[in-house]
Amino acid sequence: MSILITLEGGDGSGKSTQSRLLSTALLGRGYNVTSLREPGGTNLGENLREILNDGQRHHAGLTDMSQLYLFLAARAQLVAERISPVLIEPNNVIICDRYIDSTVAYQGYGFGFDINFIKQANSNAIGDFVPNLTILIDCPIETSIARTISRTGKVSRFETKPNDFHQRVRNGFIELANENHDRWKIVDGTLDEKTLSKQILSLALEVIKGSDTNLQ
Ligand code: TYD
């Protein structure tokens, strides 16, 4: 058996940094780690990522509905090309920066598309490849917004959305986590990077060591 760990949270929650730190820590302990991000991880996914993040230019007119289907298409491709071939082999760990729950939180709670429809579409896209562990890096939106403003480089399509959008996304993630405490663990995104990375590593190791894998 292999393990799929996903990290979720709002923009500026520190999720991408923590995904990287977790991958490095597990690699350092000798695990076979595959690091992925959504949207992305395949040629199609990386192309869709460009389109989805390009709100100011060629694809400014992309509708909310089109975005929903593009995220799902990127995910279906990621599962087919990168996740299922790794997870059907034994003794692997996949760390994925965003996955099914980002679509429920952003397109469902944020944009108002039907939550059950998204959950069903996610399930069609991923089949049996449900995460063994999902870590929610929860952060007050004031903190995450301040971080995205101070961050240099490209601003993603949703980073320019109003505060109430980000609040709905945050509440959505918390609601999802509370629906399934077996899969989800919530950590405090306001903690310093090192403390948080230690907590995340110990949550990951707990699941890896508790699984019926040869991963020790
Ligand atoms: P990204 O640059 O990856 O942001 P972050 O580093 O915060 O993850 O941009 C991805 C954006 O896409 C982010 O704002 C969240 C959004 N998103 C959705 O709206 N739905 C989805 O299903 C996924 C995977 C991401």
Side-chain angles (χ1 to χ4, degrees):
M1 190 180 144
S2 284
I3 298 285
L4 172 60
I5 299 173
T6 59
L7 279 88
E8 298 282 4
D11 297 74
S13 58
K15 186 180 44 51
S16 304
T17 305
Q18 291 298 334
S19 302
R20 210 172 44 247
L21 293 172
L22 178 60
S23 297
T24 307
L26 291 177
L27 277 169
R29 281 171 168 71
Y31 293 105
N32 299 325
V33 181
T34 302
S35 303
L36 300 171
R37 67 173 179 183
E38 276 219 25
T42 63
N43 286 341
L44 177 74
E46 291 298 329
N47 284 330
L48 293 180
R49 183 183 185 86
E50 283 291 305
I51 292 170
L52 284 159
N53 283 348
D54 179 39
Q56 317 306 322
R57 296 183 288 273
H58 305 301
H59 302 287
L62 204 62
T63 67
D64 298 343
M65 177 67 91
S66 307
Q67 290 168 38
L68 167 62
Y69 282 96
L70 293 183
F71 282 117
L72 290 166
R75 178 161 310 128
Q77 197 66 28
L78 185 71
V79 171
E81 279 186 36
R82 303 289 310 276
I83 293 183
S84 62
V86 173
L87 289 189
I88 58 173
E89 295 295 329
N91 306 332
N92 292 314
V93 180
I94 298 182
I95 312 290
C96 196
D97 180 351
R98 298 196 182 283
Y99 194 50
I100 44 176
D101 304 295
S102 278
T103 316
V104 183
Y106 280 82
Q107 279 63 48
Y109 288 93
F111 286 101
F113 287 106
D114 186 75
I115 305 285
N116 288 327
F117 167 77
I118 297 174
K119 286 184 175 175
Q120 184 59 55
N122 269 335
S123 172
N124 295 343
I126 69 165
D128 292 336
F129 300 105
V130 176
N132 301 84
L133 169 67
T134 298
I135 294 168
L136 171 58
I137 305 185
D138 181 51
C139 211
I141 63 160
E142 294 73 20
T143 309
S144 51
I145 288 167
R147 284 183 188 161
T148 56
I149 289 169
S150 66
R151 203 157 64 180
T152 52
K154 273 205 267 184
V155 172
S156 88
R157 184 181 294 267
F158 304 131
E159 286 174 5
T160 54
K161 284 274 176 199
N163 288 5
D164 63 332
F165 173 85
H166 292 287
Q167 193 59 59
R168 286 198 302 279
V169 170
R170 181 187 184 201
N171 295 345
F173 275 127
I174 293 171
E175 205 166 310
L176 286 171
N178 286 331
E179 280 171 13
N180 186 349
H181 290 292
D182 287 341
R183 170 160 76 90
W184 288 81
K185 298 288 175 251
I186 304 180
V187 294
D188 179 355
T190 63
L191 291 173
D192 68 90
E193 201 173 284
K194 206 170 159 196
T195 309
L196 192 54
S197 70
K198 278 190 190 156
Q199 281 188 9
I200 292 174
L201 176 62
S202 85
L203 290 170
L205 288 173
E206 212 175 289
V207 168
I208 291 169
K209 291 180 175 167
S211 67
D212 60 345
T213 62
N214 294 325
L215 296 166
Q216 295 300 330

